[in-house]
Amino acid sequence: MTEILALMTIIWWTIIPLFWIPVHGLSKLFKRIGLLTYFLFMIIWSPLLYFLYENRNFLLHLKIPVPLALRIVGIALLFSGTLLHIWTGRLLGLWGLIGLPEVSNIIKSKLVTEGPFSIIRHPTYISHTMIFSGVFFIS
């Protein structure tokens, strides 16, 4: 079970450096590209998914015994990160969560300043960090 959780985390984590960081850093470029951004991302992400899946035995072969206390911390991080992600997702809405306002002029977004956004600019990044760290400690 922990191997599946670790593999899913490795695969899903790649979305951040391949999609979100470039979209935030080069938002004007991706607005010009528009919805084609998602297609370009899938062209890049698909072979990487295949590569990671095919090499899963190599990626997951090292097993280190994790103390129970660290696993409990991991579960708490995973759970609280997931709750934070759900909360920010509810505030942003589906289109905001998948970044449609950042790559297209079709959907306009408003600046969200309530909930976790009143404390930190990108609570989704914090939630992802918590989730990935939790999985790391668990597995």
Side-chain angles (χ1 to χ4, degrees):
M1 180 64 178
T2 57
E3 284 185 3
I4 293 170
L5 188 60
L7 182 62
M8 286 173 41
T9 302
I10 291 168
I11 288 172
W12 284 103
W13 175 84
T14 59
I15 293 173
I16 294 169
L18 290 178
F19 182 75
W20 286 112
I21 292 173
V23 164
H24 284 141
L26 303 167
S27 59
K28 289 180 183 177
L29 170 69
F30 287 105
K31 277 245 189 216
R32 277 187 262 147
I33 295 172
L35 297 178
L36 186 60
T37 300
Y38 295 107
F39 180 69
L40 294 173
F41 168 71
M42 289 306 295
I43 288 173
I44 295 169
W45 195 44
S46 297
L48 181 60
L49 286 176
Y50 178 76
F51 176 79
L52 292 171
Y53 182 77
E54 284 298 312
N55 291 288
R56 66 190 178 280
N57 292 330
F58 173 75
L59 292 169
L60 302 173
H61 80 280
L62 182 62
K63 300 206 187 313
I64 300 171
V66 180
L68 180 60
L70 208 50
R71 285 189 180 177
I72 292 171
V73 168
I75 291 168
L77 280 169
L78 176 61
F79 183 73
S80 56
T82 301
L83 288 177
L84 179 59
H85 190 53
I86 291 168
W87 187 13
T88 59
R90 292 194 64 176
L91 291 170
L92 291 173
L94 176 63
W95 298 132
L97 198 58
I98 64 170
L100 192 59
E102 294 171 302
V103 300
S104 173
N105 291 321
I106 296 171
I107 303 289
K108 299 292 183 194
S109 67
K110 62 180 177 69
L111 181 64
V112 179
T113 58
E114 57 194 62
F117 289 95
S118 67
I119 299 168
I120 188 165
R121 183 174 180 178
H122 294 293
T124 50
Y125 286 169
I126 294 296
S127 68
H128 293 159
T129 301
M130 292 168 68
I131 291 167
F132 298 149
S133 298
V135 170
F136 174 76
F137 288 139
I138 292 168
S139 63

